[in-house]
Amino acid sequence: MATLLIAEHDNASIKDATNKALTAAAALGGEVDVLVAGEGAKGAAEAAAKLKGVRKVLLADNAAYAHDLAEPLAALIVSLAGPYDAIVAPATTRYKNTLPRVAAQLDVAQISEIIKVVSPDTFERPIYAGNAIQTVKSKDAKKVITVRTSTFGATGDGGSASVDNAAAAADPALSSFVGEEVAKSDRPELTSAKIIVSGGRAMQSRENFTKYIEPLADKLGAGVGASRAAVDAGYAPNDWQVGQTGKVVAPELYIAIGISGAIQHLAGMKDSKVIVAINKDEDAPIFQVADYGLVADLYQAVPELTAAV
């Protein structure tokens, strides 16, 4: 069995999500090749070649893959799919957009956000916001799989794979890049952060995130997250959202401040190793999953916690 793993990267380096998805790909058995598609992505390809267990790296370096457009990337993956039994990618925003297109063009059913490889054709994945685990057995000749990386350990270095050039596929020209606004931060990315401090609707304003949440996160070297309610209210940007419709995280420490614990939010963070909740409502659902809970006014407790760190 041969597997093609699609790398999540920033052209210069490989993202942690790729290392974790590689662990899942290796569990399928057989050899694993890695596709790095981008522009000026030689650095990422060389980093992928050092990952343990990689047979070879395919580098598709072309302007068509510079801006994460799903259509040209899907066309590239389909053009390379021939010799592979499985196509695997981390369940990031980029590949949640791309792999369904790949599955449709290959006329197979996608298997989304697996959390366990039972056998090369059988997988476990969460459903109903993580309240049930579904076991899926696929009869498709080619498996198209996204991986919920929060449940897999990261594969380390130790490999010395070759880097081969892959020809660009014909661009379907169904979309074009217009522009982007990129948020820049020195904080770690949510999906790879070891500590996350999240705020909810109880924060009441964007200014309160700046005043209470961010200073604590900066002292802890943590990423900053938010509930969907806080994002929808405009208190936090979209890329901070944790939950079923946001980012799924599993840090060593998750601090939930002013978050009630709606089932959609819990689906995105309940696999965290240690969960700390601060909420003045002692009946808040968040306390049912918290390892440590503090029933207190966050506007008093958080500054005290920040000062004590």
Side-chain angles (χ1 to χ4, degrees), residues 275-291:
I275 300 172
V276 175
I278 301 174
N279 199 301
K280 66 179 182 181
D281 179 7
E282 63 182 19
D283 296 321
I286 191 71
F287 288 124
Q288 296 177 14
V289 299
D291 299 286

Side-chain angles (χ1 to χ4, degrees), residues 38-260:
E39 184 179 32
K42 184 179 179 181
E46 291 174 346
K50 296 177 182 177
L51 294 176
K52 185 178 180 181
V54 174
R55 178 178 64 172
K56 67 179 178 181
V57 175
L58 301 176
L59 172 59
D61 204 318
N62 190 284
Y65 313 123
H67 300 293
D68 296 341
L69 296 181
E71 292 86 358
L73 182 54
L76 172 67
I77 295 169
V78 170
S79 73
L80 297 172
Y84 297 102
D85 303 293
I87 297 169
V88 177
T92 58
T93 302
R94 181 189 309 202
Y95 298 123
K96 285 181 179 180
N97 191 20
T98 303
L99 253 65
R101 303 169 192 272
V102 173
Q105 291 181 48
L106 294 175
D107 195 24
V108 300
Q110 177 175 305
I111 306 167
S112 302
E113 300 202 35
I114 66 166
I115 59 173
K116 183 179 180 181
V117 177
V118 179
S119 69
D121 65 355
T122 307
F123 313 91
E124 291 184 0
R125 60 182 297 271
I127 57 175
Y128 304 129
N131 286 291
I133 303 300
Q134 180 184 59
T135 301
V136 180
K137 184 171 184 177
S138 173
K139 294 182 179 179
D140 287 326
K142 288 186 188 298
K143 314 294 188 290
V144 176
I145 301 165
T146 60
V147 177
R148 179 169 287 194
T149 55
S150 62
T151 60
F152 290 91
T155 299
D157 291 342
S160 56
S162 62
V163 177
D164 299 339
N165 290 322
D171 187 349
L174 297 173
S175 61
S176 60
F177 177 74
V178 176
E180 63 185 357
E181 293 182 12
V182 181
K184 295 184 179 180
S185 174
D186 292 332
R187 300 189 183 99
E189 289 188 1
L190 279 180
T191 52
S192 59
K194 294 184 178 180
I195 302 173
I196 294 174
V197 180
S198 279
R201 180 162 42 194
M203 297 310 301
Q204 298 182 337
S205 70
R206 178 68 183 92
E207 291 71 23
N208 283 337
F209 262 86
T210 302
K211 183 177 179 180
Y212 295 96
I213 300 294
E214 295 184 35
L216 177 58
D218 290 340
K219 276 202 169 184
L220 293 171
V224 176
S227 67
R228 176 169 180 170
V231 172
D232 287 349
Y235 306 159
N238 289 333
D239 58 344
W240 287 6
Q241 184 177 324
V242 173
Q244 185 178 12
T245 54
K247 294 179 180 177
V248 177
V249 299
E252 298 291 327
L253 173 62
Y254 188 89
I255 303 176
I257 299 173
I259 295 176
S260 63

